Amino acid sequence: MDPRRRHIGLWCPAAASRSVVASEASLQCSLGLWGTTLTENTAENRELYVKTTLRELLVYIVFLVDICLLTYGMTSSSAYYYTKVMSELFLHTPSDTGVSFQAISSMADFWDFAQGPLLDSLYWTKWYNNQSLGHGSHSFIYYENLLLGVPRLRQLRVRNDSCVVHEDFREDILSCYDVYSPDKEEQLPFGPLNGTAWTYHSQDELGGSSHWGRLTSYSGGGYYLDLPGSRQASAEALQDLQEGLWLDRGTRVVFIDFSVYNANINLFCVLRLVVEFPATGGAIPSWQIRTVKLIRYVSNWDFFIIGCEIIFCIFIVYYMVEEILELHIHRLHYLSSIWNILDLVVIMLSIVAVGFHIFRTLEVNRLMGKLLQQPNMYADFEFLAFWQTQYNNMNAVNLFFAWIKIFKYISFNKTMTQLSSTLARCAKDILGFAVMFFIVFFAYAQLGYLLFGTQVENFSTFIKCIFTQFRIILGDFDYNAIDNANRILGPAYFVTYVFFVFFVLLNMFLAIINDTYSEVKEELAGQKDELQLSDLLKQGYNKTLLRLRLRKERVSDVQKVLQGGEQEIQFEDFTNTLRELGHAEHEITELTAAFTRFDQDGNHILDKKEQEQMQQDLEEKRVALNAEIENLGQSIVSSSPGELGPEATRTDGWVSGEEFYTLTRRVLQLETVLEGVMSQVDAVGSKLEMLERKEQLASSPGMGDQGIWEHLQPTSPVTPDPWGVQGGQESGGGGILKHQIAGSSLIASTENSSGHALHF
């Protein structure tokens, strides 16, 4: 493989002239920042594939943490209790006749609730001892929640001629009011014709939105009344509506809308109480309570979220550029992978989230400004609360996909590929099974709907039948209701459904998954082991630990020389002692650089003061190395034999940790010997080049001896750190020593305890 392509997939000419060490640290080509497994040439280089995937995973984890902070920052632990308090107050509080909102079953019950518990719950202007709250006419529900604006009552009606009475009953039944639908909606004034409660207003005029009720979907228009700001005035307005027969046979639904705000927890609670009056008679109450955080930036945590939002936007731009590059390289083939499609979905949902966040902020500011100017008007936060809820739902789905996307980066591991491989291989079998399953399933759903739909609530609609049958599979069912609805066909339906669907079809599905999983696991067990992420991490750990130990030995030997107790140390004595301790000439050359650095007077003698300075420096180096070794964890010498891998075995047993350490130390010494040889070769080459330049300059006219001498002056060499603790020239973490020689690279390494060989 071309050495220029060892670390990046695309050839970058600018990096060819640099050393391999520098290229690994800071080389950036056109795709370096956005390089992925789809843009890099990783097909022939397993190590590069693992490293690229690891880098992608680390970056993505930062993005995932950021999106989690954003998503949870939009919620509050107090939201549930806020919703619970409001629901208990408005839904469970009974009237003098014992009617609560949930117990409404007729129009008379509605008026009892509206004139009793509703007004009592809306208007809180006094303490429990009848003292005024001191906030004027403003109502503070439970003394903490400000009622925003005034509540609104709204109803929708149908026309008298919306249905046809059979001719046999026309003499007895003079009017007919059909179920609600927009084309049958009544839009003519009725009653006293004095006010908005008796005059129709369209959805555009009210600025409302449609509502999906228990029976059907209702428009945002209708006949409405905004209650006055006090309890007494509101009671009088409701009394007028009751006496004027505001509710009659044509009424199909009544809405009660209002909003409250709690400044303690910075949450809005938007409530909508709905009472539907079906064509069958009676009343069906329902409700919708949305607790949302519309004002974002109040507390210190909110300002922290601002920083997360900025980081989130940066990530979105980063991933957009990455996806564009991958699409440009792979074209439509890029969409053949489900993970790539998931990437696009996450990015698109994130862009929509950013756009809605801007819209929500502007809209809340507009509504709050309008409410402050006209505090006695209806505050319509329903539309904004609805879209805030959808925004939260979208973020929840986006966060779910973001977590699932982690499988994309860990799928190169054999254990992690079992799930995806099993599902991919049995997809065709599952598809064929699904056709058979849903034929039987929908047949039973239709049977249940026709048999029990008129008597059992769980079978009252075809959709409810489908979910009820899923619940039966999971063991959640009401057999008595089925048996009471039909004593003959009910048990027959239940027994046959459980037998065919639960015992037969469900076990067939599990058998398909189990057989495919066994095949995949057997194939993976027979595959050749490739370089895994754990191997790469273990490799870097072991090599770094060994290098730190060798550096520590150098420091300890120099300390032994200084601890001889002599007042002065000669340069020759220093070098001779190092030779006696077993150091090679190239090591002594490096260590004497430290001697020269502390020999301040340049007399090749270290006096007592200079020895103390050198001793202090050595001690700092030793402490730093000990700290690095402790941070790496347990020494490789104490590693168990099972951790050394299969290639570290002998015929007579495992290689001991001490033997492995000794062999590795000799190989690393060989590295340093090669380094010294190459340094000498470089020095000889430099002298030859100087001689050649001197001959050329001597032959040039007008060039004196001084000029020749100035041209031949070499640049001052940079003295390396003999201890190898500081500086970034030696890659201690990767365990690879690199040198650039005449445009090529020499890479020397060792075979680590993982069993993976890195060659000279």
Side-chain angles (χ1 to χ4, degrees):
M1 187 175 182
D2 191 342
R4 297 174 300 181
R5 298 179 178 265
R6 177 175 178 83
H7 297 285
I8 56 173
L10 299 179
W11 166 237
C12 181
S17 60
R18 304 179 188 177
S19 66
V20 177
V21 178
S23 66
E24 285 199 350
S26 61
L27 179 58
Q28 296 292 336
C29 287
S30 59
L31 296 181
L33 181 61
W34 289 277
T36 64
T37 54
L38 295 179
T39 59
E40 302 282 2
N41 185 17
T42 59
E44 302 177 358
N45 192 334
R46 178 68 180 179
E47 182 178 355
L48 177 60
Y49 173 77
V50 174
K51 289 183 178 180
T52 304
T53 305
L54 178 61
R55 180 181 62 82
E56 288 186 70
L57 177 60
L58 295 178
V59 174
Y60 186 75
I61 288 176
V62 177
F63 169 74
L64 187 61
V65 171
D66 184 69
I67 194 175
C68 286
L69 291 174
L70 285 180
T71 305
Y72 290 109
M74 294 181 298
T75 61
S76 173
S77 59
S78 303
Y80 167 75
Y81 300 101
Y82 196 13
T83 303
K84 183 174 182 291
V85 166
M86 291 294 106
S87 62
E88 290 180 350
L89 177 62
F90 289 97
L91 302 181
H92 302 288
T93 303
S95 64
D96 295 337
T97 59
V99 177
S100 64
F101 179 79
Q102 289 184 325
I104 293 177
S105 59
S106 64
M107 293 183 181
D109 291 343
F110 173 81
W111 289 118
D112 288 342
F113 167 78
Q115 295 176 340
L118 177 62
L119 296 181
D120 294 338
S121 302
L122 283 175
Y123 298 102
W124 292 58
T125 58
K126 295 182 179 181
W127 286 97
Y128 49 83
N129 60 357
N130 290 328
Q131 291 184 1
S132 175
L133 291 177
H135 298 288
S137 60
H138 294 294
S139 173
F140 282 83
I141 301 174
Y142 279 128
Y143 316 116
E144 301 292 346
N145 307 284
L146 173 64
L147 178 63
L148 301 175
V150 296
R152 169 173 289 182
L153 270 69
R154 179 173 60 92
Q155 74 155 313
L156 288 171
R157 304 168 55 86
V158 294
R159 298 191 304 271
N160 186 11
D161 59 349
S162 56
C163 57
V164 179
V165 180
H166 193 271
E167 58 183 7
D168 294 341
F169 297 96
R170 286 178 183 174
E171 294 182 0
D172 299 324
I173 303 176
L174 302 179
S175 57
C176 182
Y177 297 91
D178 200 355
V179 297
Y180 175 83
S181 63
D183 59 320
K184 299 176 182 178
E185 188 175 298
E186 177 67 85
Q187 299 183 1
L188 297 177
F190 75 104
L193 307 178
N194 56 349
T196 59
W198 311 96
T199 306
Y200 179 83
H201 298 78
S202 66
Q203 178 173 320
D204 295 335
E205 292 175 344
L206 296 180
S209 57
S210 60
H211 176 82
W212 188 12
R214 293 286 181 88
L215 300 178
T216 185
S217 180
Y218 302 96
S219 70
Y223 306 83
Y224 77 94
L225 172 68
D226 290 339
L227 297 179
S230 64
R231 187 191 189 287
Q232 182 178 358
S234 298
E236 294 176 355
L238 292 176
Q239 185 67 29
D240 293 340
L241 293 182
Q242 183 180 11
E243 294 177 355
L245 202 63
W246 193 59
L247 302 181
D248 58 13
R249 291 182 59 196
T251 302
R252 286 293 171 262
V253 65
V254 175
F255 299 95
I256 304 174
D257 296 310
F258 57 94
S259 304
V260 295
Y261 173 70
N262 190 308
N264 300 330
I265 55 178
N266 188 29
L267 290 177
F268 287 81
C269 190
V270 182
L271 296 94
R272 169 168 282 183
L273 307 180
V274 184
V275 181
E276 297 175 81
F277 298 96
T280 60
I284 302 176
S286 60
W287 56 92
Q288 185 174 270
I289 303 177
R290 305 183 191 274
T291 302
V292 292
K293 186 176 183 179
L294 298 178
I295 301 177
R296 294 296 305 275
Y297 310 119
V298 176
S299 63
N300 294 332
W301 170 256
D302 295 332
F303 290 108
F304 169 75
I305 294 297
I306 293 179
C308 295
E309 291 174 350
I310 296 175
I311 297 175
F312 178 76
C313 293
I314 295 174
F315 269 112
I316 295 304
V317 174
Y318 171 81
Y319 282 118
M320 284 178 61
V321 175
E322 181 180 285
E323 297 303 314
I324 291 173
L325 292 174
E326 292 177 351
L327 280 169
H328 177 73
I329 294 174
H330 298 280
R331 305 295 179 180
L332 294 180
H333 183 68
Y334 174 81
L335 301 177
S336 61
S337 173
I338 187 63
W339 298 117
N340 298 336
I341 297 176
L342 187 61
D343 290 343
L344 297 177
V345 170
V346 172
I347 291 176
M348 288 188 293
L349 289 177
S350 301
I351 294 174
V352 173
V354 173
F356 180 82
H357 178 74
I358 298 174
F359 165 76
R360 186 269 314 278
T361 303
L362 298 177
E363 189 67 13
V364 169
N365 293 336
R366 185 187 67 83
L367 287 176
M368 294 303 296
K370 186 177 179 180
L371 181 62
L372 292 176
Q373 294 177 359
Q374 300 176 343
N376 294 324
M377 65 173 293
Y378 167 66
D380 187 10
F381 284 92
E382 172 61 30
F383 174 78
L384 200 57
F386 169 78
W387 284 109
Q388 177 66 32
T389 303
Q390 306 312 313
Y391 172 69
N392 294 340
N393 296 339
M394 180 187 64
N395 285 331
V397 174
N398 193 21
L399 183 60
F400 170 78
F401 286 146
W403 275 101
I404 295 298
K405 187 182 170 183
I406 293 182
F407 283 102
K408 173 183 178 181
Y409 301 108
I410 62 177
S411 60
F412 64 88
N413 184 275
K414 290 200 303 183
T415 303
M416 299 302 175
T417 56
Q418 293 181 5
L419 174 62
S420 58
S421 300
T422 301
L423 295 178
R425 179 168 299 186
C426 66
K428 293 183 179 180
D429 294 334
I430 291 179
L431 182 61
F433 168 80
V435 174
M436 177 177 59
F437 174 83
F438 283 109
I439 288 175
V440 178
F441 187 83
F442 285 121
Y444 272 100
Q446 198 164 20
L447 177 62
Y449 172 65
L450 297 176
L451 291 178
F452 320 116
T454 60
Q455 302 180 57
V456 183
E457 181 182 1
N458 291 334
F459 291 88
S460 58
T461 65
F462 186 73
I463 301 299
K464 287 185 177 181
C465 287
I466 294 176
F467 286 103
T468 300
Q469 291 188 158
F470 278 117
R471 290 169 57 188
I472 292 176
I473 294 177
L474 298 175
D476 180 17
F477 56 88
D478 186 2
Y479 174 76
N480 292 328
I482 298 175
D483 184 60
N484 293 333
N486 195 316
R487 294 188 178 182
I488 297 177
L489 295 179
Y493 161 85
F494 180 79
V495 172
T496 57
Y497 174 78
V498 170
F499 177 77
F500 284 108
V501 175
F502 184 78
F503 288 106
V504 178
L505 295 179
L506 186 60
N507 283 281
M508 286 179 60
F509 174 76
L510 296 178
I512 293 173
I513 299 293
N514 187 47
D515 292 345
T516 308
Y517 175 75
S518 300
E519 294 176 3
V520 170
K521 192 172 183 180
E522 183 178 356
E523 289 184 3
L524 291 178
Q527 289 180 359
K528 181 181 178 181
D529 291 338
E530 295 180 329
L531 182 65
Q532 302 293 329
L533 178 61
S534 59
D535 299 330
L536 191 65
L537 296 177
K538 187 184 295 184
Q539 172 183 335
Y541 163 76
N542 291 331
K543 285 183 172 294
T544 302
L545 186 60
L546 289 175
R547 289 185 178 278
L548 289 176
R549 286 183 172 276
L550 292 178
R551 294 173 190 169
K552 183 179 178 181
E553 289 182 2
R554 290 184 182 181
V555 174
S556 300
D557 290 344
V558 176
Q559 285 182 324
K560 291 179 181 179
V561 176
L562 296 177
Q563 291 174 357
E566 300 180 2
Q567 294 294 329
E568 295 182 349
I569 298 179
Q570 300 285 339
F571 179 78
E572 295 182 357
D573 296 338
F574 180 80
T575 56
N576 292 333
T577 305
L578 291 177
R579 290 189 183 95
E580 294 176 359
L581 292 175
H583 288 275
E585 291 298 327
H586 66 276
E587 293 180 341
I588 296 176
T589 303
E590 294 180 0
L591 295 175
T592 53
F595 185 98
T596 305
R597 181 157 57 92
F598 289 95
D599 184 16
Q600 298 177 356
D601 50 11
N603 58 355
H604 296 282
I605 298 175
L606 291 180
D607 56 20
K608 196 66 175 178
K609 181 179 179 181
E610 293 172 342
Q611 292 183 38
E612 292 177 355
Q613 293 177 353
M614 190 173 183
Q615 183 71 24
Q616 182 179 359
D617 183 75
L618 290 172
E619 183 63 24
E620 293 177 356
K621 302 290 186 183
R622 188 185 64 81
V623 172
L625 289 171
N626 285 334
E628 290 188 43
I629 294 175
E630 291 177 1
N631 291 336
L632 283 174
Q634 186 180 3
S635 173
I636 188 174
V637 177
S638 60
S639 299
S640 62
E643 296 179 355
L644 298 178
E647 297 183 7
T649 59
R650 290 182 180 176
T651 57
D652 57 345
W654 295 93
V655 176
S656 66
E658 183 178 358
E659 291 175 335
F660 179 78
Y661 173 73
T662 303
L663 293 174
T664 308
R665 186 176 184 277
R666 291 177 181 176
V667 174
L668 292 177
Q669 289 177 349
L670 179 61
E671 283 187 359
T672 56
V673 171
L674 291 175
E675 179 185 2
V677 171
M678 300 315 301
S679 300
Q680 295 176 5
V681 171
D682 289 341
V684 173
S686 300
K687 292 180 179 180
L688 292 175
E689 182 180 359
M690 291 177 61
L691 293 175
E692 183 179 357
R693 291 174 57 192
K694 183 176 180 180
E695 293 177 357
Q696 294 176 354
L697 294 175
S699 62
S700 299
M703 180 67 66
D705 294 339
Q706 183 65 26
I708 295 175
W709 174 252
E710 291 177 356
H711 280 80
L712 293 178
Q713 286 298 325
T715 57
S716 58
V718 178
T719 303
D721 188 354
W723 322 123
V725 177
Q726 298 177 348
Q729 299 300 323
E730 184 176 353
S731 179
I736 301 176
L737 186 63
K738 310 172 186 68
H739 304 279
Q740 183 179 12
I741 306 173
S744 62
S745 60
L746 174 64
I747 302 178
S749 63
T750 65
E751 181 177 4
N752 65 358
S753 63
S754 301
H756 299 286
L758 299 177
H759 304 286
F760 290 101

